[in-house]
Short mmCIF file of all heavy atoms in Angstrom, two decimals:
data_model
loop_
_atom_site.label_atom_id
_atom_site.label_comp_id
_atom_site.label_asym_id
_atom_site.label_seq_id
_atom_site.Cartn_x
_atom_site.Cartn_y
_atom_site.Cartn_z
N ALA S 1 0.82 -1.22 0.00
CA ALA S 1 0.00 0.00 0.00
C ALA S 1 0.85 1.26 0.00
O ALA S 1 0.45 2.28 -0.58
CB ALA S 1 -0.95 0.00 1.19
N ASN S 2 2.02 1.20 0.62
CA ASN S 2 2.88 2.38 0.67
C ASN S 2 3.44 2.77 -0.69
O ASN S 2 4.01 3.84 -0.85
CB ASN S 2 4.01 2.19 1.68
CG ASN S 2 3.57 2.57 3.08
OD1 ASN S 2 2.91 3.58 3.26
ND2 ASN S 2 3.92 1.77 4.05
N GLN S 3 3.26 1.93 -1.69
CA GLN S 3 3.73 2.22 -3.04
C GLN S 3 2.64 2.87 -3.89
O GLN S 3 2.84 3.12 -5.06
CB GLN S 3 4.19 0.91 -3.71
CG GLN S 3 5.31 0.23 -2.98
CD GLN S 3 5.55 -1.18 -3.50
OE1 GLN S 3 5.10 -1.55 -4.56
NE2 GLN S 3 6.25 -1.97 -2.71
N GLU S 4 1.48 3.13 -3.31
CA GLU S 4 0.31 3.59 -4.06
C GLU S 4 -0.34 4.80 -3.41
O GLU S 4 -0.17 5.04 -2.23
CB GLU S 4 -0.76 2.47 -4.09
CG GLU S 4 -0.30 1.14 -4.61
CD GLU S 4 -0.30 1.06 -6.12
OE1 GLU S 4 -0.69 2.04 -6.80
OE2 GLU S 4 0.10 0.01 -6.63
N SER S 5 -1.12 5.51 -4.20
CA SER S 5 -2.09 6.46 -3.66
C SER S 5 -3.39 5.66 -3.59
O SER S 5 -3.77 5.04 -4.58
CB SER S 5 -2.23 7.64 -4.62
OG SER S 5 -3.23 8.50 -4.16
N PHE S 6 -4.04 5.62 -2.45
CA PHE S 6 -5.14 4.67 -2.30
C PHE S 6 -6.30 5.19 -1.46
O PHE S 6 -6.18 6.18 -0.74
CB PHE S 6 -4.62 3.36 -1.68
CG PHE S 6 -4.07 3.52 -0.29
CD1 PHE S 6 -4.88 3.42 0.83
CD2 PHE S 6 -2.72 3.79 -0.09
CE1 PHE S 6 -4.39 3.58 2.11
CE2 PHE S 6 -2.20 3.95 1.18
CZ PHE S 6 -3.04 3.84 2.29
N ILE S 7 -7.40 4.46 -1.58
CA ILE S 7 -8.59 4.66 -0.77
C ILE S 7 -8.60 3.58 0.29
O ILE S 7 -8.54 2.38 -0.03
CB ILE S 7 -9.85 4.56 -1.64
CG1 ILE S 7 -9.85 5.67 -2.70
CG2 ILE S 7 -11.12 4.61 -0.79
CD1 ILE S 7 -10.86 5.48 -3.80
N ALA S 8 -8.66 3.97 1.53
CA ALA S 8 -8.69 3.01 2.64
C ALA S 8 -10.13 2.67 2.97
O ALA S 8 -10.95 3.57 3.17
CB ALA S 8 -8.00 3.60 3.87
N LEU S 9 -10.44 1.39 3.00
CA LEU S 9 -11.75 0.97 3.47
C LEU S 9 -11.65 0.87 4.98
O LEU S 9 -10.92 0.04 5.52
CB LEU S 9 -12.17 -0.34 2.82
CG LEU S 9 -12.39 -0.21 1.32
CD1 LEU S 9 -12.77 -1.55 0.71
CD2 LEU S 9 -13.47 0.80 1.01
N ASP S 10 -12.37 1.75 5.65
CA ASP S 10 -12.21 1.92 7.09
C ASP S 10 -13.58 2.20 7.70
O ASP S 10 -14.27 3.13 7.27
CB ASP S 10 -11.27 3.11 7.33
CG ASP S 10 -11.06 3.44 8.78
OD1 ASP S 10 -11.41 2.62 9.66
OD2 ASP S 10 -10.53 4.54 9.06
N PRO S 11 -13.99 1.41 8.70
CA PRO S 11 -15.31 1.64 9.33
C PRO S 11 -15.50 3.05 9.88
O PRO S 11 -16.61 3.52 10.02
CB PRO S 11 -15.37 0.61 10.46
CG PRO S 11 -14.32 -0.39 10.15
CD PRO S 11 -13.29 0.28 9.31
N LYS S 12 -14.39 3.75 10.15
CA LYS S 12 -14.48 5.11 10.67
C LYS S 12 -14.34 6.15 9.56
O LYS S 12 -14.27 7.35 9.83
CB LYS S 12 -13.42 5.33 11.75
CG LYS S 12 -13.67 4.46 12.97
CD LYS S 12 -12.63 4.66 14.01
CE LYS S 12 -12.93 3.72 15.19
NZ LYS S 12 -11.80 3.55 16.05
N GLY S 13 -14.32 5.70 8.32
CA GLY S 13 -14.21 6.61 7.19
C GLY S 13 -15.54 7.28 6.89
O GLY S 13 -16.53 7.15 7.63
N GLU S 14 -15.57 7.98 5.78
CA GLU S 14 -16.77 8.72 5.38
C GLU S 14 -17.85 7.77 4.88
O GLU S 14 -17.60 6.90 4.05
CB GLU S 14 -16.40 9.71 4.27
CG GLU S 14 -17.53 10.63 3.88
CD GLU S 14 -17.11 11.65 2.83
OE1 GLU S 14 -15.90 11.89 2.65
OE2 GLU S 14 -18.02 12.21 2.19
N LEU S 15 -19.05 7.93 5.40
CA LEU S 15 -20.20 7.17 4.93
C LEU S 15 -20.83 7.92 3.76
O LEU S 15 -21.05 9.13 3.85
CB LEU S 15 -21.25 7.03 6.04
CG LEU S 15 -20.96 6.01 7.13
CD1 LEU S 15 -21.92 6.19 8.30
CD2 LEU S 15 -21.06 4.61 6.57
N LEU S 16 -21.07 7.21 2.68
CA LEU S 16 -21.69 7.82 1.50
C LEU S 16 -22.89 6.98 1.07
O LEU S 16 -22.91 5.78 1.26
CB LEU S 16 -20.69 7.84 0.33
CG LEU S 16 -19.42 8.65 0.51
CD1 LEU S 16 -18.43 8.34 -0.60
CD2 LEU S 16 -19.76 10.14 0.51
N THR S 17 -23.85 7.63 0.46
CA THR S 17 -24.92 6.89 -0.20
C THR S 17 -24.32 6.29 -1.47
O THR S 17 -23.22 6.68 -1.91
CB THR S 17 -26.09 7.82 -0.59
OG1 THR S 17 -25.58 8.77 -1.55
CG2 THR S 17 -26.68 8.52 0.63
N SER S 18 -25.04 5.38 -2.08
CA SER S 18 -24.57 4.82 -3.35
C SER S 18 -24.45 5.91 -4.41
O SER S 18 -23.50 5.92 -5.20
CB SER S 18 -25.49 3.70 -3.82
OG SER S 18 -25.41 2.60 -2.94
N GLU S 19 -25.39 6.83 -4.43
CA GLU S 19 -25.32 7.94 -5.38
C GLU S 19 -24.11 8.83 -5.10
O GLU S 19 -23.42 9.26 -6.02
CB GLU S 19 -26.61 8.79 -5.33
CG GLU S 19 -27.85 8.07 -5.79
CD GLU S 19 -28.59 7.33 -4.68
OE1 GLU S 19 -28.03 7.13 -3.57
OE2 GLU S 19 -29.72 6.92 -4.92
N GLY S 20 -23.88 9.10 -3.81
CA GLY S 20 -22.72 9.91 -3.41
C GLY S 20 -21.42 9.23 -3.80
O GLY S 20 -20.48 9.89 -4.26
N TRP S 21 -21.36 7.91 -3.60
CA TRP S 21 -20.15 7.19 -3.98
C TRP S 21 -19.96 7.24 -5.50
O TRP S 21 -18.85 7.42 -5.98
CB TRP S 21 -20.17 5.75 -3.49
CG TRP S 21 -19.12 4.93 -4.19
CD1 TRP S 21 -19.31 3.89 -5.02
CD2 TRP S 21 -17.70 5.15 -4.15
NE1 TRP S 21 -18.10 3.45 -5.51
CE2 TRP S 21 -17.10 4.21 -4.99
CE3 TRP S 21 -16.89 6.07 -3.48
CZ2 TRP S 21 -15.72 4.15 -5.18
CZ3 TRP S 21 -15.50 6.01 -3.69
CH2 TRP S 21 -14.93 5.07 -4.52
N SER S 22 -21.03 7.10 -6.26
CA SER S 22 -20.94 7.14 -7.72
C SER S 22 -20.32 8.47 -8.17
O SER S 22 -19.41 8.49 -9.01
CB SER S 22 -22.32 6.94 -8.35
OG SER S 22 -22.25 6.98 -9.75
N GLN S 23 -20.79 9.55 -7.61
CA GLN S 23 -20.26 10.87 -7.96
C GLN S 23 -18.79 10.99 -7.55
O GLN S 23 -17.96 11.49 -8.31
CB GLN S 23 -21.08 11.96 -7.29
CG GLN S 23 -22.47 12.10 -7.82
CD GLN S 23 -23.33 13.03 -6.98
OE1 GLN S 23 -22.89 13.60 -5.99
NE2 GLN S 23 -24.59 13.19 -7.38
N LYS S 24 -18.47 10.51 -6.36
CA LYS S 24 -17.09 10.59 -5.85
C LYS S 24 -16.16 9.75 -6.71
O LYS S 24 -15.05 10.17 -7.05
CB LYS S 24 -17.05 10.11 -4.41
CG LYS S 24 -15.69 10.15 -3.78
CD LYS S 24 -15.66 11.18 -2.72
CE LYS S 24 -14.30 11.26 -2.08
NZ LYS S 24 -14.07 12.61 -1.59
#
């Protein structure tokens, strides 16, 4: 992971709706 720019899947991360995630 340290070799990449990444999205962390984390229970304390931002909650998004499916529509919000699609836009993001």
